[in-house]
């Protein structure tokens, strides 16, 4: 009494919170007692305890429902409805548990008649309550769909449990079948409507850049997904009752655009194919003429720009050929090809615009794709950058003999990514431009003239002025040796086995090897005629013996050394001479 009086003086929100708390105490206490029950209890005891708990909690739910109805206001309604819904869900789970205990006890021969009667009564009352609520929601609305779905699922479970108890469920089965058909048709219409609204926003020009349009699109997609979830629940229940659901499954796939395992159903697959053919036929009848005209325009523009690109490449090629600028073959090839490609790119963009495709989003997408490709092709882009540097600074050209990137040979072909080098034994090497530009480049044939470096040795006993005069005659008399710069012939070094001259005539670059080979051959021939020796490497070996009596054997050993090696001179030591 005192508590009720105080509650009456409190604000409605505080009153309801207090009532909810007080109402939950008996059920919480009972739940705690149930949780601490021993496993050894008999089936009769378990059924009896759960039955008493359900009676008490049922009364609590009725009291809580009446309290909510009396103190319903906008501020507390969502909280109270959620609390009542949660308690009802727990209550229904315990009713299902009671049904299981009753059936298990009966199989074991236990006396659970009171529990059976209570379970049947509770199920009947719950079924009646759900039918009344579903009938109240007969005029389906979008907001009522989730609640209606839960009620139908609860009623389906209720019917199944009553079947297990042997109760008559024919009327409720007919009711749920009828209700499922109404809800499925209603949700199918909402799904189709949602799809049309989404398609309309997507097809609206500039919608992908409109913030408000994107928000509206996100809301519609959320609504569509919720409807699809509800429809899947309807289809699952209808399949349990043996109802036709192929059209509903087809509608879900069409509305969401997501394939599911339902596509394996031949009726669903056939329906989708038939629908696709019908839609394609209708679309082609409406847009076929315009589409054919757009495609022809697209192709004509591409062909026209192909001829323009070809003409542009020819113009650039002739212009570079007549130009007085010294441009490398790589640069010429680059400018010619880029002219054609740029013209074709403009033509492609214009042609795509004729198909009704927005160019700006396409360019933005290409930019993003280019960024991704750039990260994936870092090495290739590095080679490309090196090729551009070679193009600008021109360290070599096609036909030059170079030593770069660890190879030496004649440049056969060049592009912005790699350089093809043909070695002197006719092997083609493809060298990445990054390796060439990142190291030392030696262009052998870049200059018109080259110095031929040669070295010749004579014996220490030969006449030096005579040898120098012979070398000068050979060099100056050769027709391919240039007079300017003058050849250089000097005594260069006193080697281990010979006195060495350096001979450095100059020649044209393409006559380098002719001069080198001719002079080398002539030096050998003239030295032989003039009696000038070309010594081979020699080594003096000194053999020392401690025992003077072994001088004879040492002499024999020294003689064998002279005999076995023509490139070796053996000089006896002081002990041997003694």
């Amino acid at each position: 009494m005192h508590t009720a009086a105080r509650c009456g003086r409190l604000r409605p929100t505080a009153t309801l919170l207090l009532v909810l708390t007080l109402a939950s105490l008996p059920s919480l206490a009972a739940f705690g007692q149930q949780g601490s029950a021993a496993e050894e209890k008999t089936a009769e005891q378990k059924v009896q305890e759960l039955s008493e708990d359900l009676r008490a909690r049922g009364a609590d739910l009725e009291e809580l429902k009446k309290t909510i109805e009396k103190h319903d206001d906008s501020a507390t309604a969502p909280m109270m409805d959620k609390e009542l819904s949660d308690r009802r869900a727990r209550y229904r789970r315990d009713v299902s548990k009671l049904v299981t205990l009753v059936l298990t006890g009966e199989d074991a021969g236990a006396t659970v008649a009171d529990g059976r009667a209570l379970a049947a009564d509770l199920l009947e009352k719950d079924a009646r309550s759900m039918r009344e609520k579903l009938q109240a929601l007969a005029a389906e609305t979008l907001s009522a769909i989730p609640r209606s779905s839960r009620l139908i699922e609860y009623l389906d479970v209720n019917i199944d449990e009553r079947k297990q108890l042997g109760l008559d469920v024919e009327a409720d089965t007919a009711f749920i079948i009828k209700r499922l058909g109404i809800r499925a048709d209603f949700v199918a219409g909402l799904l189709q409507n949602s799809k049309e609204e989404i398609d309309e926003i997507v097809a609206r020009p500039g919608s992908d850049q409109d913030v408000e349009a994107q928000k509206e699109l996100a809301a519609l997609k959320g609504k569509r997904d919720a409807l699809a979830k509800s429809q899947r629940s309807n289809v699952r229940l209808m399949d349990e009752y043996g109802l036709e659901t192929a059209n509903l499954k087809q509608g879900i796939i069409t509305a969401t655009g997501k394939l599911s395992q339902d596509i394996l159903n031949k009726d669903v697959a056939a329906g989708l194919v038939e629908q696709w053919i019908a839609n394609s036929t209708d679309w082609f009848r409406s847009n076929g003429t315009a589409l054919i005209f757009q495609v022809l325009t697209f192709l004509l523009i591409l062909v026209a720009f192909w001829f323009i690109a070809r003409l542009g490449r020819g113009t650039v090629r002739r212009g570079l050929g007549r130009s007085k600028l010294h441009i490398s073959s790589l640069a010429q090839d680059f400018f010619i090809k880029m002219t054609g490609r740029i013209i074709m790119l403009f033509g492609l963009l214009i042609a795509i615009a004729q198909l009704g495709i927005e160019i700006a989003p396409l360019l933005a997408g290409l930019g993003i794709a280019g960024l991704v490709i750039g990260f994936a092709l870092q090495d290739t882009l590095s080679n490309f950058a090196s090729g551009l540097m070679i193009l600008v600074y021109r360290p070599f050209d096609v036909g030059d003999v170079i030593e770069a990137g660890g190879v030496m040979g004649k440049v056969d072909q060049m592009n912005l990514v790699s350089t093809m080098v043909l070695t002197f034994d006719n092997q083609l090497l493809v060298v990445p431009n990054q390796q060439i530009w990142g190291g030392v480049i030696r262009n052998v044939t870049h200059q018109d003239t080259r110095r031929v470096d040669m070295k010749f040795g004579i014996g220490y006993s030969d006449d030096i002025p005579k040898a120098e005069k012979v070398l000068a005659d050979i060099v100056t008399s050769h027709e391919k040796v240039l007079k300017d710069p003058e050849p250089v012939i000097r005594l260069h070094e006193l080697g281990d086995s010979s006195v060495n001259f350096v001979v450095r005539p100059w020649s044209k670059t393409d006559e380098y090897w002719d001069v080198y080979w001719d002079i080398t051959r002539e030096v050998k021939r003239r030295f032989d005629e003039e009696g000038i020796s070309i010594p081979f490497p020699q080594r003096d070996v000194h053999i020392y013996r401690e025992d003077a009596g072994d001088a004879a054997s040492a002499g024999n050993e020294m003689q064998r050394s002279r005999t076995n090696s023509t490139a070796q001179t053996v000089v006896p030591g002081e002990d041997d001479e003694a």
Side-chain angles (χ1 to χ4, degrees):
M1 292 294 292
H2 297 291
T3 303
R6 286 195 299 271
C7 290
R9 291 192 297 270
L10 296 175
R11 289 184 302 176
T13 302
T15 302
L16 289 174
L17 289 174
L18 181 59
V19 170
L20 291 173
T21 303
L22 294 175
S24 64
L25 292 177
S27 59
L28 290 175
F31 180 77
Q33 293 174 1
Q34 179 183 354
S36 61
E39 294 295 335
E40 294 81 8
K41 289 182 179 179
T42 62
E44 292 89 343
Q45 290 174 329
K46 293 180 180 179
V47 169
Q48 183 180 0
E49 290 180 359
L50 185 55
S51 298
E52 293 175 356
D53 176 51
L54 288 171
R55 289 190 183 96
R57 290 166 63 189
D60 291 341
L61 285 174
E62 290 298 326
E63 183 179 352
L64 179 58
K65 180 181 177 182
K66 293 177 181 179
T67 303
I68 292 174
E69 291 174 353
K70 289 180 181 180
H71 299 84
D72 189 14
D73 60 71
S74 59
T76 59
M79 179 183 64
M80 293 184 298
D81 288 341
K82 185 177 184 306
E83 176 67 21
L84 183 61
S85 176
D86 292 342
R87 291 193 186 186
R88 279 176 176 167
R90 291 194 296 269
Y91 181 77
R92 287 190 176 102
R93 287 197 294 269
D94 286 343
V95 171
S96 299
K97 183 178 180 181
L98 177 61
V99 172
T100 303
L101 289 175
V102 168
L103 295 175
T104 304
E106 289 178 346
D107 291 341
T111 305
V112 291
D114 292 341
R116 166 181 275 274
L118 176 62
D121 182 58
L122 294 176
L123 291 173
E124 291 286 357
K125 288 181 179 180
D126 198 25
R128 184 166 56 253
S129 174
M130 286 186 286
R131 287 197 306 271
E132 292 173 355
K133 292 176 182 177
L134 286 171
Q135 288 173 350
L137 297 173
E140 293 278 5
T141 61
L142 182 61
S143 60
I145 287 178
R147 186 179 180 188
S148 178
S149 298
R150 289 195 301 270
L151 288 173
I152 287 183
E153 290 179 355
Y154 289 150
L155 182 58
D156 176 65
V157 175
N158 183 287
I159 291 173
D160 184 61
E161 292 173 348
R162 287 158 63 199
K163 280 183 180 179
Q164 296 181 40
L165 293 177
L167 302 178
D168 183 16
V169 295
E170 184 176 351
D172 284 338
T173 301
F175 174 84
I176 197 173
I177 290 175
K178 178 180 178 181
R179 194 65 194 168
L180 281 171
I182 295 173
R183 292 190 73 256
D185 293 340
F186 177 72
V187 175
L190 291 177
L191 266 176
Q192 181 62 28
N193 185 57
S194 298
K195 179 180 181 300
E196 293 175 356
E197 292 178 349
I198 291 173
D199 293 342
E200 188 274 330
I201 293 177
V202 172
R204 189 185 305 166
S207 61
D208 54 342
Q209 305 295 330
D210 189 349
V211 177
E212 295 298 328
Q214 290 300 311
K215 290 182 179 179
E216 183 181 359
L217 183 62
L220 286 173
K221 288 183 177 180
K223 170 186 172 182
R224 180 199 62 188
D225 294 341
L227 289 171
K229 181 179 179 181
S230 178
Q231 191 72 317
R232 291 188 186 97
S233 176
N234 293 334
V235 168
R236 178 179 58 79
L237 293 175
M238 292 175 73
D239 286 338
E240 291 181 4
Y241 289 98
L243 302 178
E244 178 61 36
T245 58
N247 291 333
L248 299 177
K249 294 176 181 177
Q250 176 183 331
I252 295 174
I253 295 175
T254 302
T256 60
K258 298 178 181 178
L259 297 179
S260 62
Q261 60 182 4
D262 295 330
I263 195 68
L264 301 177
N265 187 309
K266 64 178 183 179
D267 295 332
V268 176
L272 288 173
V273 172
E274 183 179 353
Q275 180 183 2
W276 180 80
I277 293 175
N279 293 338
S280 301
T281 303
D282 293 340
W283 183 87
F284 191 78
R285 286 174 181 172
S286 303
N287 304 281
T289 304
L291 177 63
I292 293 174
F293 179 77
Q294 289 176 340
V295 171
L296 289 177
T297 304
F298 176 83
L299 295 176
L300 288 175
I301 291 175
L302 289 182
V303 172
F305 272 89
W306 182 80
F307 280 108
I308 296 173
R310 186 174 179 181
L311 179 63
R313 288 195 298 268
T315 303
V316 173
R317 183 182 295 107
R318 288 191 295 271
L320 292 175
R322 296 173 183 175
S323 175
K324 296 180 180 179
L325 298 175
H326 297 287
I327 301 177
S328 65
S329 299
L330 176 60
Q332 293 181 15
D333 185 65
F334 173 77
F335 289 129
I336 293 171
K337 289 183 179 179
M338 284 304 297
T339 300
R341 289 170 182 172
I342 291 174
I343 294 174
M344 285 303 300
L345 178 61
F346 278 111
L348 181 62
L349 294 177
I350 295 174
I352 289 175
Q354 301 304 312
L355 297 178
I357 300 175
E358 291 289 337
I359 301 298
L362 179 62
L363 293 177
L366 290 176
I368 296 173
L371 181 63
V372 174
I373 294 173
F375 280 109
L377 302 176
Q378 293 183 28
D379 293 339
T380 301
L381 291 178
S382 178
N383 290 326
F384 183 83
S386 299
L388 288 177
M389 299 301 292
I390 294 173
L391 182 149
V392 173
Y393 290 99
R394 299 168 51 208
F396 56 85
D397 203 348
V398 174
D400 289 347
V401 176
I402 65 170
E403 182 178 359
V407 300
M408 184 174 183
K410 184 177 181 180
V411 179
D412 185 64
Q413 296 180 34
M414 298 167 58
N415 56 51
L416 291 177
V417 177
S418 61
T419 299
M420 277 65 78
V421 178
L422 193 65
T423 62
F424 298 118
D425 58 350
N426 206 33
Q427 297 184 39
L428 183 64
L429 304 180
V430 180
V431 186
N433 285 337
Q434 182 183 7
Q435 294 186 13
I436 294 178
W437 187 253
V440 177
I441 301 174
R442 186 162 72 95
N443 192 334
V444 178
T445 58
H446 184 268
Q447 301 296 331
D448 294 333
T449 60
R450 285 188 65 187
R451 191 182 70 184
V452 185
D453 290 350
M454 295 179 288
K455 184 170 71 172
F456 300 102
I458 64 174
Y460 273 91
S461 59
D462 291 323
D463 188 349
I464 293 177
K466 181 181 179 180
E468 188 173 5
K469 183 178 182 302
V470 170
L471 291 174
D473 291 342
I474 294 173
V475 171
T476 56
S477 63
H478 198 287
E479 60 181 4
K480 293 183 180 180
V481 172
L482 301 178
K483 307 301 181 183
D484 185 23
E486 293 183 359
V488 174
I489 302 173
R490 298 288 186 272
L491 180 63
H492 182 60
E493 63 180 354
L494 302 177
D496 294 337
S497 305
S498 62
V499 177
N500 298 325
F501 285 89
V502 291
V503 179
R504 294 175 178 174
W506 287 79
S507 69
K508 294 182 180 180
T509 300
D510 54 354
E511 295 176 349
Y512 175 90
W513 289 108
D514 292 338
V515 173
Y516 186 95
W517 292 326
D518 289 348
I519 290 180
T520 301
R521 183 176 183 279
E522 187 65 15
V523 166
K524 169 60 177 170
R525 189 183 68 80
R526 288 289 302 277
F527 276 12
D528 290 345
E529 288 180 357
E530 300 294 339
I532 301 172
S533 64
I534 301 177
F536 48 80
Q538 299 182 13
R539 178 179 300 170
D540 292 340
V541 179
H542 299 269
I543 301 176
Y544 296 93
R545 291 287 185 269
E546 295 182 357
D547 189 0
D550 295 334
S553 61
N556 294 335
E557 183 69 24
M558 183 170 57
Q559 182 62 34
R560 282 196 299 271
S561 298
R562 292 195 187 98
T563 304
N564 293 336
S565 178
T566 60
Q568 183 172 311
T569 302
V570 181
V571 180
E574 296 178 357
D575 294 339
D576 295 325
E577 292 175 356

